[in-house]
Amino acid sequence: MALRRYTASIDGTIPVPALLYDDEELLASQDGVGIYDGCVYFLSLTWCTVFMSPINSLQKAPDYQTGSVHVSTHRLFFVHSQNPTSYSFTMGLLHVIRTNYYAGLFKSSPKVSLFLDADTALPLNTTSVQRTEIFESWECEVCSHRNPPGLSPAAARICALCGVPRSASAGSTASEASSQIQSLFSSIPESSYTSLSSSSSPGPPSPPSINDDSDGMACPACTFLNHPSLRVCEICTTPLSNVDHAGSMRAKSAPSTRPISPIGDIIDPANLLIKLSFRKGGDKPFYNVLRRALRSQAWEGKRIGHNARSGTSSLAVTSPDYGVTPVAMRPSGIDGIMRNVEASAHITQTDLNDALKDLEGLMMKAKDLVHLAGELNEKLTASSTTTTTSTLASPFSTTSSPGTQLSSPFSTTTLVPSTEPEEAKFIRSSLAQLGLQMSNTPVTLDMIKDERRWVEELARELARVLQGSPDDIPGQKSVGIMKERGIVGLDEVWGGWNRARGVALIPPSTFLQVLPHLPAYTTPPIRSRVFKSGLSVLHIPPYTHASFTARMVGYLALSGVMTTSQIAHEENITIGLADEMIAAIEADGVIFRDDERSAIRGGGSGTTSEVRWSRNLFLEYIWDGQL
Amino acid sequence: MALSTHTTPSGFLLPSIHSAPPFFTEQPNQTTHAHLTEQWTRLILTYARHKRLFVLRVEDAEAPGSDWDEILRNERINRRILPSYLSSLMAAMVAKNIAVYEPAKQTRAVLLYWRLPEEWADVLHSWATATGQLNTILTFYEISDPPIPSPLSGIPIPLLRRAITILSRSNRAQIIGVADGEGVRFFVG
């Protein structure tokens, strides 16, 4: 019988959440559920045969007719409503290979069929030695991490810290199947079990009272009836014989009231089936949750990830003889950790390389695009000139201008020459919108082989950026940086120039090489100037030291005293720049300063004071005070 | 900028430059700064002679109420000299040997030589001669605080001692230990 082969009894008086492993999660609960235990043949029959044919191999399990059923990520729980102590059981979801849903008809309740895997049936003869070991805390041989009990069997097989599987010697020859049945037998660690019962939950009998029903094990020395899970006598610590222990456990798992049918021991793969009958509804949501839990295969725990790496099929987990082999193939210990780190670093490196390659490709494409736009522009210019001449010669000629291929066929068929410039203008403006302004094609080194000429070309280009090109197309906004300002910081010029170029950016060193050539290509000549503080600027003649000094003296003659900010305002330059230029004049001794910090009242508060400038009267001063 | 001289309540004629606000700011320009230091030195010494002040301290620039207010501050243009500037002026004066740090080994106070010690020695000797006190023993206090006001009234003891030392080198005076301190006897030079 499927029920007996796959389930383990639990104490239903303990709330289900307390029965869960540490890494297990309760997903759904539903009460008013009955259990059918039997074979698959029934599936094709109608509902009435369930009740009317006594010979049907699918029968209602008499002891499991009213109860609530819970599904967790790892297991299915059935808790009997009247007799939770005796008729509650749990079943691992790993046994389920297939599910079927029957929506119900007339008096028949909706049912969920669970087809069970014959290979994972629980062996009936297990030794209690293995059972207790799996639920003790254990120390990892490699990293000495003490793994706490309470994890699911799959998770408990490997060290929680380093991922090394628990050594075979520590677990003796514990096979997976046996460890699983152990987990089902006593689904919670003993420590938490006792603490739970001692915390006086209402109704449930305490562990000793369970043992009253002859399941206790008599100590060979003092005859004390010990709890079956104990290995030594509670009173005199005499080792208890474990030989008949498994038998007692089996008796507990299969309640004595249930008749032991002989077919139970014959495993017929087709007969392995459990049905859940939902008498109070709630079947659909429960079925969905159950299917999700089955799909996620949480009971395989972390093994899935590891197996994927070592190439072991995850099927091996459920095969009965998978035991140690997949575990041994997995990289383990520090070596495994190192290898994981290396692998992830390698993946990151590959990804980065790919991304950079993409970027480089994009740059190449961008260059092509710029080139193409340049050609297009040239053709447009050529076409506009040729069409005007050709239309003068023969107004109806449709060929011979290269630009017609670029413009729309409409213009070629209508043969109206005046449309041509408009088309060209449209294409030009769309090029401009794309940022492919071709009036300022960047000069690059590969265009010009001679380095000296390159620098000169750059100077010419920079002059255009600074002062705007004289042959600007009307309506096109290209105002030079220095069109309205006489003095600009070098950093701003460099940034503006490179922004205007867009591609093949100019490094600062080249920029500085270009500067000496600039006055030859600019009108008025733009020169560079370096202030004492290191600030570099480009300026036109009115901002030379001499002419600025002259202007400054003029201001001071007019108003006597001026602050730095007043001068900056007057000159329409930044205060920082004004400060630098005035400092240069002060170094000449033409002007001198009055720091407001030396005021008696007000104005003298710390650093916020302002410097006021006036003509230097001291140099020609002659003592006129008391002698 | 209309600058004009100004006469203080104590009867001192301030130079017109004292009415220029930049006069109270330490100038970064070396040439201007040197020029300004010269003007300040002259102003300080003239004023010290006018009011017979011998000691200038940095504290005098820090708060109003000192003897030097009339030149270190100018209420009419709302300017005062900053202590840091005064300190650098004092250093310049010490460097030019027209002042000396007194006491030594600090830079907060100077003894002003609006007369050099040699000049003081001459004044001292001529005073002793004029008052007929040659060959008599005088204590320092009788010189610095005489019953009849003299050119030496209020002279600081260190300066007096320096002047007497100069006189004793040319055998015109001799320092003598007396019961309550030190005395000096002047000789015909």
Side-chain angles (χ1 to χ4, degrees), chain A residues 586-589 592-601 612 614 616-619 621 623-627, chain B residues 1 5 11-13 15-17 21-22 25 27-29 32 35-36 39 42 46 50 73 75 78-80:
Chain A
E586 188 190 22
D588 292 348
F592 64 178
R593 63 169 64 202
D594 168 25
D595 198 332
E596 281 192 355
R597 268 179 295 183
S598 56
I600 296 173
R601 297 171 299 273
R612 295 142 66 86
S614 47
N616 193 345
L617 304 164
F618 297 154
L619 293 180
Y621 174 77
W623 184 259
D624 56 357
Q626 185 155 332
L627 294 172
Chain B
M1 244 189 322
T5 55
F12 182 73
L13 181 69
S16 62
I17 199 171
T25 300
Q27 299 291 332
N29 183 310
T32 317
H35 199 76
L36 220 56
Q39 306 301 335
R42 184 163 182 180
T46 317
H50 173 75
R73 303 166 76 83
E75 299 281 346
N78 189 22
R79 286 291 179 273
R80 69 192 170 94

Side-chain angles (χ1 to χ4, degrees), chain A residues 77 81 86 106 195 221 315 340 347 382 402 411 430 442 493 502-503 563 595:
Chain A
F77 294 88
S81 54
S86 310
F106 303 117
S195 70
L315 278 175
N340 283 355
I347 290 166
S411 64
S430 39
V493 172
V503 293
T563 63
D595 198 332

Side-chain angles (χ1 to χ4, degrees), chain A residues 94-231:
Chain A
L94 70 94
H95 304 300
V96 179
I97 51 172
R98 195 155 58 88
T99 60
N100 198 355
Y101 177 67
Y102 165 66
L105 189 67
F106 303 117
K107 284 173 73 180
S108 169
S109 310
K111 289 178 188 65
V112 170
S113 311
L114 306 176
F115 295 87
L116 303 178
D117 187 357
D119 293 337
T120 61
L122 306 177
L124 294 176
N125 48 347
T126 53
T127 59
S128 60
V129 180
Q130 294 154 355
R131 172 172 55 88
T132 47
E133 269 170 0
I134 202 87
F135 280 101
E136 280 170 354
S137 68
W138 56 281
E139 193 171 302
C140 175
E141 277 191 331
V142 176
C143 67
S144 298
H145 174 66
R146 182 152 282 278
N147 288 278
L151 288 175
S152 63
R157 276 194 302 269
I158 55 171
C159 173
L161 187 65
C162 61
V164 174
R166 189 174 180 180
S167 72
S169 63
S172 70
T173 55
S175 73
E176 283 303 325
S178 66
S179 73
Q180 275 155 10
I181 192 173
Q182 306 317 337
S183 73
L184 299 174
F185 268 106
S186 54
S187 54
I188 52 168
E190 285 174 48
S191 56
S192 61
Y193 181 87
T194 46
S195 70
L196 253 175
S197 58
S198 63
S199 64
S200 75
S201 52
S206 56
S209 68
I210 296 176
N211 294 341
D212 281 350
D213 52 13
S214 80
D215 272 340
M217 191 184 308
C219 170
C222 68
T223 70
F224 178 76
L225 285 175
N226 283 290
H227 188 280
S229 56
L230 287 178
R231 298 170 67 190

